[in-house]
Each structure stands twice: as C-alpha cells, then as structure tokens.
Amino acid sequence: LFLVLIFEGGIYLFVFFLMKKGNKWFKENEWLYQWLVWCSFEYLRSVGFFGFNYGIIGYSQWSCPVVLQFAEIAGVWGINLIVSFPSFFIGKLVNSFFSKKAVVNKINVISASSWCIVFVFVILFGSIKLNKSNPPEKTLKTAVIQTNENHRLTSVPNQRLRFNSYKKIINDIIEEDPNIELIVLPESAILSRVTFREDEAYTEEEYLLARDYVDFFNTLDVPVLYGGAELEFRERKEGKLFFNQYNVAYLINTSEKKDPPVPQIYRKNHLVPLFENYPFKKLFPFFYEKVVKKIGTDFKPGKQINLLEVKDIKAGTPICFEDMFDNIPRKMTEKGADIFISIANDSWSKSKLCQYEHLAISTFRAVENRRPLIRSSVSGQSVYLDEKGQIKKMLEPFMKDYFFILLLITY
C-alpha cells in the first residue's frame, strides 16, 4: 500500500506540475490547456499493464440516464470531456474576477459556445434514446446468484461447505422456477476442476469434491455459468509437475450429461496487475514471496476472446475488473456477443462504495455496446442492466441471495 501511495502521489504531482506550467505557457487560455492535460491524464492512467479506472470523472454520470446515453457515441471519455469542462471554465472566470483580468476573448467565447451546443445535443440524443424501444428478438430466463462467501478460504473442507450451500441454492431456484434457462454464479465460485484431464493432479479430497460437483451437475437440466480456475500442464521438472493457471468462466451444459463435462471456457485476458499477474519475479523476488504468494495468485492471461453460448445466445463474460475497460467488452461485441455476463468478486474491499463504483463503470459498458449486462458478484453489486444502462434488478450488498430475470435482447 505504501509503494502504491508513493507511485500514485508521484504521478499526481507531475500532472499538477504540468497544469501549473500552463499559467506560464498559455497566459490567457491556460484553462483549456489544463482541461486537456487533466482529461488526457485520466485516459492514460486507465491503459496499459497498471491501468485502473476508478475515480474517472465521467463515470459520475452513471445515474444520469440522459447524459449516459451519449456513451454510445463517445464512450466515457467523451462524457469525461463534457462533464469536466465547466469546472475549468468556471475556475477561469473566478480567477479572472479576483485578478481583475478580462475574461472575454475569442477563444473563450468559441469554447463556451461549442460546449453549450454539444451539451444540448447530448440532452436531445439521450432523450430520444431513452424514449425509443425495440421489441425483444431473443429472451433468456436467468437466475443470478450472489454467494456472499469468503473466497479466501480455499481449503477443501471450506470448498465442500460452499458446495453444500450452492447445491441448496440451485435446488431452491429450480423448485421455484422449473423453466429457468441459465444459472449464474460469481467469479471463483467453484475452484474444483471438474474436467478430470489426464495432465491435472488431484489429492484424494480434491478428486472426491470434484466428483460430487459432476454428479450434481448431471442431475440438472439447466446450464450453469460460474467462475473457476483452470490448470494447463506446462512441464515436468525434477519429478514435479508445473502448470499454467487461468482465471476462467465456465459454462456447463448440464443437459448433455457428459462425464466428465466438456465446458465452454473463457480465460480472463486482462489480469489484475501484481496480484494476478506478476512479471517481476526476477527483478523483485522479495515482493513476490512476501506479498503476491500470500494474498494473490500468479495467473496467466488468456489470449483470445471466447464467447459462451446458451440457447443460441452468445454471451461475453468479462471477469472481475475486465468490464472496467472499454476495449474488452467492445471486442466481445465485435465477435457477436448478444449479452454481457460479468462475474466478479469485490468482497475484498468490504466497501459498499467500492462495489457501487464498479457498478457505475459497468453501466457504461452496457450503453457503449447497447447490450444488456448481468453482474453476478460475490458480495455485490449483483444486478441486471438493460442496454440503456438502467437498473432493472439488484440485490442488497453483503447478503446471500438470488434473483430471477427474463433477459430481453434487442438490437
């Protein structure tokens, strides 16, 4: 945490230094330069290996439906420019008033007028989109589960307790609605490897638990989508087996009754820096041994965007914070995704505000791609968003529960 604070603090100091220099480089229109520097900074800190999207000003409009619709055209970055502009312009007016400098010049008038025109267009565009509705072309009756389990407890006895809990919840769902077409559990819900590949190693306890999952799945007639882990054999060295590990979304078509099952798989492409992907083992081995191995997992990133298909509906399944980045859902849409099913685990934060911020970011992905989005998160926010980013159903945070939705897919 201390290293992160130093790193982030250093970046902000550098940005403020650049913005301050604007007073010298652009004496009359420094506010325009500062506005562009700030918006560029917010974009740049969201890309690359250390990219992170929390705290972007544009995401504040997630609960303003009219403005939010403009994300279809300009994404969060266009809204970021629009929302932040008045702060810099008003700051210029206040500064000019107290310093008794003239504020009316050609660039200021053109800039303010242009913003007003764009803002009026944003409101009109958003109003039209909100009032427009298309009949659904496809539907999917779905149950979304919020487990509220402590997923840091990974021992087999704790995993077996979770198995018993899931078994009860899923049976309750099917009893309540026998016509359910898909059941969704969150990220890392089931760690048991149910494929029984020859290159995977199991202890006796792990094998028996995986066997129980397979036997339970084969009693069902509804597909189950959940987050788990996948091992891929890498090498045998000095009598030991070494594997690549992936954070994955599994979709098991239980009606096939295959033993072992052959799930559809999406491997997480964008891993959490340092705590899921640590490429600096040789450079900083101490941090890896003392921090990463204790509270993180060294996953390998997936290389492809795979869609998971149920009932002729193709689902893009961003995992964890992948729905914070606009490029991954966009690639899923380009490959033909009809919906997004985001599986996440924000329980580490123990913060309702953190979970709501992640939800706020997810709403932009729905609107940018005009796709409905389901989130199944360990402790929240588990939600169903339509293609306009509007919340249709949401569970209370930090509680074990589930909800039913009839997912409507329009184009």
Side-chain angles (χ1 to χ4, degrees):
L1 180 60
F2 180 69
L3 292 175
V4 171
L5 289 174
I6 292 176
F7 179 74
E8 286 286 320
I11 292 176
Y12 275 92
L13 285 174
F14 178 69
V15 171
F16 291 146
F17 169 78
L18 289 179
M19 293 174 72
K20 182 67 176 176
K21 281 294 183 180
N23 294 328
K24 180 179 179 181
W25 297 337
F26 306 90
K27 293 183 179 180
E28 291 188 359
N29 302 299
E30 76 289 347
W31 66 277
L32 269 177
Y33 161 80
Q34 291 165 347
W35 171 57
L36 293 173
V37 167
W38 181 259
C39 290
S40 299
F41 160 65
E42 293 210 307
Y43 171 75
L44 290 173
R45 75 180 181 89
S46 74
V47 299
F49 179 76
F50 286 105
F52 216 60
N53 267 355
Y54 282 116
I56 304 298
I57 292 174
Y59 286 124
S60 64
Q61 301 306 298
W62 75 281
S63 58
C64 182
V66 175
V67 176
L68 176 61
Q69 303 313 303
F70 191 63
E72 179 186 1
I73 295 176
V76 67
W77 307 114
I79 292 179
N80 202 48
L81 286 165
I82 294 167
V83 171
S84 59
F85 181 93
S87 296
F88 288 89
F89 185 70
I90 293 171
K92 172 64 175 179
L93 295 180
V94 172
N95 183 57
S96 298
F97 175 79
F98 284 105
S99 61
K100 298 181 180 180
K101 292 181 180 178
V103 71
V104 178
N105 62 45
K106 186 177 180 180
I107 291 180
N108 288 351
V109 171
I110 292 174
S111 299
S113 301
S114 299
W115 181 87
C116 289
I117 293 170
V118 171
F119 186 72
V120 169
F121 174 79
V122 168
I123 300 302
L124 291 174
F125 178 83
S127 300
I128 292 170
K129 284 292 182 177
L130 287 173
N131 289 308
K132 182 181 178 181
S133 60
N134 297 320
E137 296 188 13
K138 299 177 183 178
T139 62
L140 187 66
K141 190 177 287 188
T142 307
V144 179
I145 299 174
Q146 181 172 287
T147 59
N148 201 37
E149 303 278 359
N150 185 350
H151 284 210
R152 290 192 180 278
L153 303 176
T154 59
S155 68
V156 175
N158 282 303
Q159 290 185 56
R160 182 163 289 282
L161 289 174
R162 288 208 292 273
F163 166 71
N164 293 331
S165 175
Y166 299 158
K167 187 175 179 180
K168 181 181 184 307
I169 292 173
I170 291 173
N171 283 332
D172 288 345
I173 287 171
I174 295 172
E175 183 178 352
E176 191 172 340
D177 188 350
N179 297 316
I180 200 73
E181 295 173 308
L182 177 66
I183 295 174
V184 182
L185 291 114
E187 178 187 13
S188 303
I190 300 175
L191 298 181
S192 293
R193 305 185 303 281
V194 299
T195 51
F196 300 116
R197 295 196 312 226
E198 293 182 2
D199 59 5
E200 292 185 322
Y202 296 83
T203 66
E204 183 178 357
E205 279 187 311
E206 289 172 340
Y207 176 83
L208 291 174
L209 180 57
R211 183 73 260 167
D212 286 345
Y213 268 112
V214 173
D215 292 342
F216 175 60
F217 287 151
N218 284 335
T219 68
L220 306 176
D221 290 313
V222 55
V224 179
L225 191 155
Y226 66 88
E230 180 192 16
L231 293 184
E232 178 184 63
F233 177 72
R234 187 171 74 239
E235 63 178 343
R236 182 189 295 270
K237 191 174 182 180
E238 297 178 357
K240 294 183 179 180
L241 300 177
F242 293 88
F243 299 88
N244 293 328
Q245 188 170 1
Y246 299 91
N247 188 351
V248 301
Y250 285 115
L251 176 61
I252 295 184
N253 188 351
T254 56
S255 62
E256 294 178 349
K257 309 300 181 189
K258 291 184 178 180
D259 192 353
V262 182
Q264 299 176 51
I265 300 175
Y266 165 69
R267 292 173 172 175
K268 184 178 180 183
N269 282 218
H270 193 138
L271 299 172
V272 177
L274 303 183
F275 298 104
E276 281 189 329
N277 183 15
Y278 188 77
F280 312 115
K281 292 178 187 176
K282 293 182 179 180
L283 191 61
F284 301 110
F286 176 82
F287 185 81
Y288 177 74
E289 293 293 332
K290 297 297 183 181
V291 179
V292 177
K293 289 181 72 172
K294 289 185 178 181
I295 63 175
T297 305
D298 193 15
F299 287 115
K300 293 290 182 181
K303 301 297 184 183
Q304 295 179 327
I305 299 291
N306 296 328
L307 303 181
L308 310 186
E309 189 169 347
V310 56
K311 197 189 161 189
D312 297 324
I313 293 172
K314 296 179 180 179
T317 53
I319 300 172
C320 187
F321 78 155
E322 282 190 314
D323 61 1
M324 289 186 171
F325 303 95
D326 54 9
N327 62 317
I328 290 178
R330 184 171 60 250
K331 289 177 182 177
M332 291 174 172
T333 303
E334 290 170 354
K335 291 204 72 172
D338 299 303
I339 59 173
F340 297 133
I341 301 178
S342 174
I343 54 176
N345 179 8
D346 290 330
S347 62
W348 56 268
S349 68
K350 300 180 181 180
S351 166
K352 185 177 178 179
L353 292 177
C354 177
Q355 294 182 167
Y356 263 98
E357 186 165 10
H358 196 163
L359 167 61
I361 295 171
S362 297
T363 62
F364 277 77
R365 305 295 90 86
V367 176
E368 288 165 356
N369 299 279
R370 291 301 178 191
R371 297 292 186 271
L373 185 149
I374 298 170
R375 292 191 77 238
S376 174
S377 186
V378 171
S379 60
Q381 300 302 112
S382 296
V383 66
Y384 168 39
L385 302 167
D386 68 10
E387 72 280 0
K388 299 174 184 177
Q390 297 176 311
I391 296 174
K392 295 301 183 181
K393 276 198 177 180
M394 183 168 65
L395 295 175
E396 289 294 319
F398 302 107
M399 64 181 295
K400 184 182 295 185
D401 203 353
Y402 59 86
F403 63 78
F404 293 96
I405 55 167
L406 180 61
L407 186 61
L408 305 177
I409 299 171
T410 61
Y411 298 101

